[in-house]
Amino acid sequence: MNISCRFSFANVFVAKADQNGNLKFSSQLLIPKDAADTPAQLAAINAEVQKAIKKGIDKNKITAAMAKSARFKSPLRDGDEYYNEEPKAEREACRGHYFLNASNKDPIGVVDRYGRPITDQTDFYSGCFGIANITFFAYNTQGNAGVGCGLQGVMKKRDGERLDNRVDLAEAFKGYIESPEDAANGDLE
């Protein structure tokens, strides 16, 4: 399924180690609570989560009792509740959003709004907006059961304010940047 979102913690070009040391391509997918399409997106996500639960039960990966347990983990979270649970600065972007953490051990597709591959890693970053192609699956590992979110590919639709604390170097060095013409004319100090 495809969802419209803002990307955070975007590791879509280079795999990063997760909590267990497994290398994965991943991103946090932020869904604004106040967007017009949010109710429809949440309904679609919840329907896909229910399908993943049914499939997990049918394949004996999880049980119906597990799925009803308070310990069963849902991939969709409320960013305002999450921020209050863990008041850390890097969680600020979650405020006013629902979110999913999606990942894949295999490389994913990264394209622009025209479907062209993005190869310049500076063009897709935490804070840009777009569409994520995701899947859902039931899991039961090491005493943890729930539904996970697989990241298949991402499409950048538009730029947004960076969420990774990186600065625009043209802005940071404004007033210090020299032109090549200045150097050619010997105007540099």
Side-chain angles (χ1 to χ4, degrees), residues 117-146:
I118 295 176
T119 56
D120 182 346
Q121 295 182 18
T122 62
D123 285 344
F124 194 99
Y125 54 89
S126 295
C128 67
F129 293 84
I131 299 171
N133 183 265
I134 55 175
T135 58
F136 295 96
F137 56 91
Y139 65 87
N140 182 6
T141 56
Q142 302 173 358
N144 293 314

Side-chain angles (χ1 to χ4, degrees):
M1 82 174 289
N2 294 326
I3 63 164
S4 296
C5 62
R6 186 174 192 193
F7 299 96
S8 184
F9 297 103
N11 298 301
V12 297
F13 293 106
V14 178
K16 184 177 177 183
D18 66 10
Q19 298 164 323
N20 300 319
N22 301 314
L23 292 176
K24 292 189 176 184
F25 299 87
S26 62
S27 184
Q28 185 176 74
L29 313 176
L30 301 171
I31 304 166
K33 289 183 175 182
D34 60 358
D37 65 345
T38 295
Q41 287 204 107
L42 295 180
I45 290 168
N46 287 326
E48 291 299 315
V49 167
Q50 291 306 310
K51 286 180 190 176
I53 290 170
K54 183 180 181 331
K55 190 174 182 180
I57 292 170
D58 291 347
K59 291 189 171 191
N60 294 319
K61 192 145 198 116
I62 59 172
T63 66
M66 284 178 177
K68 292 178 183 174
S69 165
R71 294 183 55 205
F72 192 78
K73 296 181 180 169
S74 170
L76 184 64
R77 304 211 29 203
D78 183 316
D80 293 315
E81 290 177 14
Y82 183 65
Y83 186 80
N84 289 333
E85 288 174 17
E86 297 187 35
K88 296 180 182 176
E90 67 266 16
R91 307 289 188 240
E92 181 67 29
C94 293
R95 284 186 186 235
H97 294 83
Y98 296 101
F99 71 91
L100 300 156
N101 291 318
S103 64
N104 196 326
K105 63 182 169 130
D106 297 320
I108 64 165
V110 183
V111 297
D112 66 15
R113 66 184 308 133
Y114 306 107
R116 298 178 301 210
I118 295 176
T119 56
D120 182 346
Q121 295 182 18
T122 62
D123 285 344
F124 194 99
Y125 54 89
S126 295
C128 67
F129 293 84
I131 299 171
N133 183 265
I134 55 175
T135 58
F136 295 96
F137 56 91
Y139 65 87
N140 182 6
T141 56
Q142 302 173 358
N144 293 314
V147 173
C149 184
L151 185 61
Q152 305 305 307
V154 294
M155 174 186 276
K156 179 182 174 184
K157 296 292 276 184
R158 65 182 172 92
D159 288 310
E161 182 181 340
R162 294 189 74 99
L163 298 175
D164 58 7
N165 295 323
R166 284 193 163 181
V167 296
D168 176 0
L169 293 180
E171 188 63 31
F173 295 124
K174 190 175 183 178
Y176 296 97
I177 295 175
E178 302 163 355
S179 74
E181 293 80 28
D182 293 338
N185 295 331
D187 294 339
L188 300 179
E189 294 180 14

